[in-house]
Amino acid sequence: MAVEIFYEKDCKPEVIQGKKVAIIGYGSQGHAHALNLMDSGVDVRVGLRESSASAEKAREAGLKVVDVDTAAEEADVIMILTPDETQPKVYEEHIAKHLKPGDTLAFAHGFNIHYGYIKAPEDVNVIMVAPKGPGHIVRRQYTEGSGVPDLVCVQQDATGDAWDVAMSYAWGLGGARSGLIKSTFKDETEEDLFGEQAVLCGGLVEMIKAGFETLTEAGYPEELAYFEVYHEMKMIVDLMYESGIHFMNYSISNTAEYGEYYAGPKVINAESRRAMKEILARIQDGSFAQEFVDDCNNGHKWLLEQREAINSHPIEKTGEKIRSMFSWIKK
């Protein structure tokens, strides 16, 4: 299915420039949103807890910093950029009571709206502007005169111009310089979770670990195994990122390309694809979301156990030693 893509000529900068915007949170995305919007001529304030360690950084960057309640009370557009698991509490305790008819509630990920953990009143807009890149890249590209493409979504159009607000906000981030892709909260949420779980984080990490373990259990040195299945992964991904799979295949040896076609389908096979479909089904029916929220409410017990397991895996110990040899990696 073809998607609609919009650019700067399709946006109305005056829309967001005529509104007061609150950025709730000042992490990776929060700092990029706040600074880019400020530099685009938007009236921005950052809402943070009194004890937030980020408050001074935001002030030093020239931003107005207030508590979350004040930010929500002052603003016409409220962008919530705290972690998914904290958003419902932040919304209920500090934002909901300050919403006025015609306000816009904004997100950069659809998790809480799509799964119903946040339910906005019918008289406010609900939009999403989701840059397809980490915050430091969103900020860097903006300062260099470019921008990171954004997904733009409207879940609820209470004012009749929610799309104008969303597009204008994305213009302020710099996303319209590269392209704004029209999407939905459902598609963004489900595709994002699936990509993270099956490929980018879950699938990739487990494949690297399995390759490392296969080699070391067969008696190969851990250091060499690390280089082959971990270190060189970035080189391959960079080639694909720059110009596609065909360019990566052009850049590697014929031996490597031949092995790709022979071995790839053996690793990612019918069983792997069945597992991917099961992962997607659990995302679609809300099972994963509920499991995640339950673990959050249990003090992240399972998450912390898994984090400790991967942090103590031999591949991480080996990697720490190998990376100390790389003078070009920032310590």
Side-chain angles (χ1 to χ4, degrees):
M1 187 192 326
V3 297
E4 293 183 74
I5 303 178
F6 304 97
Y7 298 92
E8 288 187 300
K9 63 180 176 58
D10 303 304
C11 303
K12 301 175 181 177
E14 67 273 12
V15 173
I16 200 65
Q17 289 174 332
K19 295 185 182 295
K20 297 177 180 177
V21 176
I23 304 298
I24 310 302
Y26 197 72
S28 174
Q29 286 293 330
H31 93 280
H33 283 237
L35 293 172
N36 289 9
L37 288 169
M38 180 179 69
D39 289 348
S40 295
V42 179
D43 182 0
V44 179
R45 70 269 302 121
V46 177
L48 295 171
R49 302 185 318 274
E50 299 284 352
S51 59
S52 173
S54 300
E56 192 56 35
K57 292 180 183 177
R59 290 192 186 96
E60 289 175 357
L63 290 158
K64 176 182 178 181
V65 179
V66 295
D67 60 73
V68 178
D69 284 88
T70 300
E73 174 64 28
E74 291 182 353
D76 308 304
V77 178
I78 304 163
M79 170 62 81
I80 305 179
L81 292 173
T82 61
D84 288 333
E85 64 268 28
T86 68
Q87 288 185 10
K89 184 176 181 181
V90 170
Y91 173 78
E92 291 297 335
E93 294 184 359
H94 303 289
I95 296 173
K97 58 190 172 186
H98 299 297
L99 288 174
K100 305 174 293 295
D103 279 354
T104 297
L105 195 61
F107 299 84
H109 180 41
F111 186 94
N112 283 294
I113 291 294
H114 178 55
Y115 292 118
Y117 295 108
I118 291 178
K119 293 182 170 64
E122 295 180 357
D123 57 3
V124 305
N125 298 326
V126 180
I127 69 170
M128 187 196 321
V129 179
K132 299 309 293 178
H136 70 281
I137 299 295
V138 174
R139 179 57 180 162
R140 183 196 306 162
Q141 290 299 306
Y142 180 94
T143 60
E144 293 177 354
S146 183
V148 171
D150 297 343
L151 296 187
V152 180
C153 319
V154 171
Q155 179 80 1
Q156 187 166 285
D157 186 358
T159 61
D161 67 346
W163 278 108
D164 287 341
V165 176
M167 298 265 286
S168 190
Y169 185 104
W171 167 87
L173 284 187
R177 299 171 180 175
S178 296
L180 308 178
I181 303 170
K182 186 176 182 180
S183 187
T184 67
F185 271 68
K186 176 183 184 297
D187 286 356
E188 185 279 336
T189 303
E190 294 176 357
E191 290 178 342
D192 187 70
L193 292 174
F194 176 80
E196 292 167 350
Q197 294 176 27
V199 182
L200 304 177
C201 304
L204 179 60
V205 169
E206 284 304 308
M207 186 167 65
I208 289 172
K209 284 168 54 185
F212 180 85
E213 291 164 2
T214 299
L215 286 172
T216 55
E217 288 168 7
Y220 295 95
E222 290 184 341
E223 291 79 5
L224 296 185
Y226 176 88
F227 271 111
E228 296 305 327
V229 304
Y230 196 141
H231 174 72
E232 294 189 18
M233 180 71 71
K234 182 181 185 306
M235 303 175 193
I236 297 299
V237 171
D238 281 350
L239 290 170
M240 294 166 59
Y241 178 84
E242 290 169 13
S243 298
I245 294 173
H246 71 282
F247 179 71
M248 181 272 291
N249 284 333
Y250 167 80
S251 303
I252 61 180
S253 68
N254 288 338
T255 313
E257 185 180 4
Y258 185 97
E260 170 193 333
Y261 304 141
Y262 156 75
K266 294 181 179 298
V267 177
I268 305 301
N269 51 29
E271 185 177 350
S272 308
R273 295 174 188 275
R274 280 194 298 272
M276 286 186 174
K277 290 179 179 179
E278 291 173 6
I279 290 166
L280 181 57
R282 294 190 72 249
I283 290 168
Q284 292 171 327
D285 68 16
S287 299
F288 165 76
Q290 189 58 58
E291 182 180 302
F292 172 71
V293 170
D294 289 344
D295 189 57
C296 292
N297 293 335
N298 192 32
H300 297 290
K301 183 176 184 296
W302 189 84
L303 174 66
L304 294 175
E305 289 173 352
Q306 306 314 305
R307 183 180 296 168
E308 176 57 30
I310 188 61
N311 289 350
S312 59
H313 191 280
I315 199 170
E316 285 295 87
K317 305 300 181 185
T318 303
E320 185 177 355
K321 179 168 60 176
I322 295 296
R323 287 190 295 271
S324 69
M325 300 166 60
F326 304 154
S327 60
W328 62 89
I329 293 181
K330 184 179 179 180
K331 297 296 185 288

